[in-house]
C-alpha cells in the first residue's frame, strides 16, 4: 500500500480566512496524489515537492509535500478543486503539472499528476500593459490606446530578436467559451496540437543579427508610437528611441495614432514590426490584444523550418471556427514564452495556453486604472548575475503580480 501523507485541512496552509460555516455540510474527503515525472526524468523523484490544492468555490489553498515516492495527501471538505505541482530542482529544469477539475463531492479519490519538463527561458515576457488608464479630469472616461509589452533577456548570452514572432491565442478573452480544448474523465485539459491565433502574427524585423538584446536588457513593443502623456497624464510615453511598434498601414489603416516616417520621430522605421500573417478583418491594432485578459505567446519556428511557406499554405496553417479563420502555431518546439491573463471580475475562466507554456495564469482585476502585469524579480539570481533576472517557473500564478502603475512611468 502506498505511503500517504494525510494532512488535516485545519493544519494545511491556507491562503484565505476559515469558513464561517461549512459549505459542504461537514463532509470530509481524502485525496491521494502521486506526482509522475516524465520518461527519462525519474531521477528527479524525491520528497519535499509542494503540491497545492485550490478550492474552486472559496479560493482556499492547501499545501502538502510529497514523500520519497512522490505521494502526498489531503483531507479536505467535499467540493471541487484545482490541483497543481511545481518542482524547481535546479537552474536547468522546471516540472509543472495541473489537474483543473478534481471532483471530491462524490467521495475519496486517487489521482496521478503527470509532470511536464521544460527549461527556464532566455527571452521572457516581462510586462503586459493592456488595461489602459483614466482620462484626466474633468473627463470621466477611460483611455486604452497606450498598450505595450516588454520583453527581457533573462539569460547570459546575447539574444537576437530578428525573426521572433508575437501573437495572441484564442479565445480573445478568458471568460469566453473555448472550442480549442476539452476535458478528459480525470479532469485534465486536453489541448489540440496547436495554438489557435486570431487576427494577426507579428514578427520582429531584421536579417538575423540586426537587433541584439544583451543579458539583462529589455525590448519594448508599443501598440502606438506617440507620447500619450501629452493628453493623458496617467498614461505613458511610447515615442522613444529603440522601442518597437506594431505599425502596418496596409493591414491596419484604421490606426490614426501610429508614428509616421517623418523627421523627428523617435521610433525608427527599422523598428516597425512586420505583419507575418493576417487572417482577421479587424483594421485597428487597438483590438489586437484583449484589454483585460490576453493570452500572449512568443514563438520561433524550429531551425530549418520554412515558416513563410507554411503560413502561405492556408490548408496546412489555418483552421476555421464559425466565420473566423485562425493560424495554427504548434505548441511543441515552437513556443519561446507565454503568459495567460484571466479577468478576475468574471467567474468563468477558460485555460488557453498549454500547460507546458504556462501551467497557471495571472489574474487582472483593475482595467483602466493604469495597472500592469509584471514579472517578479528574482533577487538572489539578480545579485549573483549582476543584472536583473526574473522568476521563470512557466507558471504565471507564481511568476507575475499586478502593479498599480506602469513600469515605464518610473
Amino acid at each position: 500500500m502506498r505511503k500517504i501523507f494525510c494532512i488535516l485541512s485545519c493544519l494545511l496552509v491556507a491562503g484565505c480566512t476559515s469558513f464561517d460555516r461549512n459549505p459542504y455540510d461537514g463532509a470530509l474527503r481524502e485525496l491521494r496524489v502521486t506526482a509522475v515525472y516524465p520518461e527519462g526524468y525519474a531521477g528527479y523523484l524525491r520528497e519535499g515537492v509542494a503540491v497545492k490544492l485550490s478550492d474552486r468555490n472559496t479560493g482556499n489553498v492547501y499545501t502538502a509535500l510529497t514523500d520519497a515516492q512522490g505521494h502526498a495527501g489531503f483531507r479536505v471538505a467535499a467540493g471541487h478543486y484545482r490541483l497543481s505541482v511545481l518542482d524547481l530542482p535546479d537552474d536547468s529544469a522546471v516540472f509543472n503539472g495541473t489537474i483543473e477539475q478534481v471532483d471530491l463531492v462524490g467521495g475519496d479519490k486517487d489521482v496521478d499528476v503527470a509532470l511536464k519538463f521544460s527549461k527556464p527561458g532566455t527571452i521572457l515576457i516581462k510586462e503586459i500593459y493592456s488595461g489602459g488608464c483614466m482620462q484626466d479630469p474633468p473627463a470621466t472616461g477611460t483611455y486604452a490606446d497606450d498598450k505595450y509589452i516588454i520583453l527581457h533577456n533573462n539569460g547570459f548570452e546575447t539574444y537576437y530578436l530578428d525573426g521572433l514572432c508575437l501573437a495572441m491565442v484564442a479565445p480573445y478573452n478568458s471568460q469566453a467559451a473555448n472550442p480549442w480544448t476539452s476535458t478528459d474523465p480525470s479532469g485534465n485539459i486536453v489541448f489540440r496540437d496547436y495554438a489557435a491565433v486570431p487576427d494577426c502574427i507579428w514578427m520582429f524585423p531584421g536579417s538575423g543579427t540586426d537587433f541584439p538584446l544583451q543579458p539583462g536588457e529589455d525590448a519594448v513593443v508599443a501598440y502606438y508610437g506617440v507620447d500619450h502623456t501629452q493628453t493623458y497624464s496617467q498614461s505613458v510615453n511610447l515615442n522613444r528611441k529603440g522601442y518597437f511598434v506594431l505599425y502596418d498601414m496596409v493591414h491596419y489603416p484604421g490606426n490614426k495614432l501610429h508614428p509616421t516616417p517623418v523627421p523627428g520621430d523617435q521610433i525608427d522605421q527599422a523598428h516597425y514590426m512586420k505583419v507575418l500573417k493576417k487572417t482577421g478583418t479587424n483594421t485597428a491594432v487597438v483590438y489586437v490584444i484583449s484589454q483585460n485578459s490576453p493570452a500572449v505567446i512568443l514563438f520561433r519556428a524550429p531551425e530549418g523550418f520554412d515558416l513563410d511557406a507554411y503560413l502561405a499554405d492556408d490548408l496546412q496553417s489555418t483552421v476555421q471556427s464559425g466565420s473566423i479563420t485562425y493560424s495554427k502555431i504548434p505548441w511543441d518546439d515552437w513556443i519561446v514564452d507565454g503568459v495567460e491573463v484571466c479577468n478576475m471580475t468574471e467567474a468563468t475562466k477558460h485555460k488557453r495556453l498549454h500547460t507546458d507554456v504556462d501551467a497557471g495564469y495571472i489574474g487582472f482585476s483593475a482595467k483602466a486604472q493604469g495597472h500592469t502585469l509584471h514579472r517578479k524579480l528574482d533577487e538572489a539570481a539578480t545579485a549573483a548575475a549582476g543584472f536583473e533576472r526574473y522568476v521563470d517557473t512557466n507558471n504565471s500564478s507564481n511568476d507575475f503580480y499586478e502593479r498599480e502603475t506602469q513600469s515605464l512611468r518610473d
Side-chain angles (χ1 to χ4, degrees), residues 370-394:
H371 289 204
T372 75
L373 298 168
H374 199 284
R375 193 176 286 268
K376 298 174 183 176
L377 185 68
D378 188 330
E379 295 184 0
T382 295
F387 60 85
E388 288 185 336
R389 300 195 70 202
Y390 289 85
V391 176
D392 179 23
T393 70
N394 283 355

Side-chain angles (χ1 to χ4, degrees), residues 96-208:
N96 271 298
T98 59
I99 297 179
E100 289 293 327
Q101 300 282 350
V102 179
D103 184 354
L104 292 180
V105 173
D108 301 342
K109 183 166 289 189
D110 294 90
V111 298
D112 292 344
V113 183
L115 302 185
K116 301 293 184 66
F117 167 80
S118 60
K119 293 182 178 180
T122 299
I123 293 298
L124 304 177
I125 297 170
K126 172 182 170 180
E127 183 177 13
I128 299 173
Y129 173 56
S130 62
C133 63
M134 298 298 296
Q135 295 188 25
D136 288 2
T140 58
T142 61
Y143 180 68
D145 291 346
D146 53 349
K147 303 173 181 179
Y148 67 79
I149 292 175
I150 300 180
L151 310 185
H152 180 80
N153 185 348
N154 212 46
F156 293 91
E157 298 180 359
T158 299
Y159 186 93
Y160 292 94
L161 296 171
D162 310 48
L164 181 66
C165 297
L166 169 68
M168 310 301 147
V169 176
Y172 187 72
N173 292 314
S174 62
Q175 67 269 24
N178 189 352
W180 309 106
T181 62
S182 58
T183 305
D184 69 15
S186 298
N188 296 297
I189 296 178
V190 179
F191 292 85
R192 301 196 187 188
D193 294 336
Y194 56 83
V197 172
D199 194 64
C200 183
I201 296 172
W202 297 88
M203 175 185 276
F204 280 87
S207 57

Side-chain angles (χ1 to χ4, degrees), residues 27 68 70-71 78 83 107 141 149 165 186 202 265 293 299:
H71 305 319
L83 186 68
I149 292 175
C165 297
S186 298
W202 297 88
D265 282 345
S293 53
F299 73 89

Side-chain angles (χ1 to χ4, degrees), residues 40-69:
Y41 296 95
Y44 285 94
L45 179 64
R46 67 197 187 285
E47 64 181 346
V49 175
V51 180
K52 290 186 178 181
L53 190 67
S54 304
D55 190 317
R56 302 181 71 92
N57 180 55
T58 67
N60 281 2
V61 179
Y62 310 107
T63 301
L65 302 179
T66 61
D67 64 12
Q69 287 73 46

